[in-house]
Amino acid sequence: MFVSITLPTAAFAQTLNMINGDVTQNIVLSDLRTISDTTFTLYDPYKGRDVIMQGITFRSFLIDQFGDVPPALHFIAWDDYEVTLEGWDDPNWYLITTEDGDPLTIRTRGPVRLVERDYNKRGNRDVENLRDFNDWIWMIRSIEAKW
């Protein structure tokens, strides 16, 4: 007898989809964590405390994946949130894979998250006003280059 169990799609969040035109590359999250070579402490306004984050410079990651930094990127999150944003040719943004030593999961706003390391670099953001951090992207499932 064969028994089939259906799990929610998010339970299989093991890859990050990188889309460039008609080509989709699936990056295994454990491989992404392996190349996440930068660790820093950052005050996370959503948690209200300092958090140790580990990730990779987003700009470098985009160049590795697409050969250049696309003018715009379309993000799709595991909760079906979608947004297209421009201006990613900035080494201050990081693709985060680990927080406080633990891999990010869907429950911890992962498995991949995009944050600005020095969020006061371009102006003072008020950590009490979470709307100042609307450009942080959580639960990333796919990133599509928009040329």
Side-chain angles (χ1 to χ4, degrees):
M1 174 179 232
F2 179 75
V3 177
S4 175
I5 299 173
T6 303
L7 297 174
T9 304
F12 297 104
Q14 301 300 316
T15 61
L16 172 64
N17 302 318
M18 300 299 294
I19 305 164
N20 191 7
D22 293 335
V23 177
T24 299
Q25 179 182 358
N26 298 315
I27 299 174
V28 178
L29 293 175
S30 60
D31 293 343
L32 187 56
R33 283 190 290 273
T34 299
I35 63 169
S36 293
D37 59 356
T38 304
T39 302
F40 56 91
T41 301
L42 177 70
Y43 182 82
D44 184 333
Y46 295 94
K47 289 194 171 194
R49 65 176 177 85
D50 285 343
V51 176
I52 300 169
M53 296 187 179
Q54 184 172 348
I56 185 170
T57 307
F58 192 50
R59 181 182 186 282
S60 299
F61 178 74
L62 293 173
I63 292 170
D64 287 345
Q65 296 303 308
F66 300 127
D68 200 356
V69 177
L73 296 170
H74 182 76
F75 298 87
I76 300 176
W78 282 99
D79 62 357
D80 294 326
Y81 171 79
E82 292 187 43
V83 66
T84 300
L85 298 171
E86 299 175 351
W88 294 108
D89 198 5
D90 180 349
N92 196 38
W93 286 91
Y94 282 78
L95 197 59
I96 302 300
T97 58
T98 305
E99 182 177 84
D100 290 333
D102 295 320
L104 293 176
T105 66
I106 297 288
R107 289 182 184 248
T108 59
R109 297 177 289 151
V112 181
R113 185 183 315 149
L114 193 59
V115 303
E116 191 174 18
R117 182 173 180 174
D118 183 3
Y119 48 74
N120 285 319
K121 184 177 180 180
R122 284 184 258 165
N124 291 326
R125 292 195 193 202
D126 179 4
V127 295
E128 300 298 322
N129 183 1
L130 297 182
R131 289 181 188 220
D132 281 355
F133 296 87
N134 283 344
D135 50 357
W136 287 20
I137 303 173
W138 307 329
M139 300 172 62
I140 299 171
R141 179 176 59 193
S142 67
I143 301 171
E144 180 179 1
K146 294 292 188 179
W147 302 102

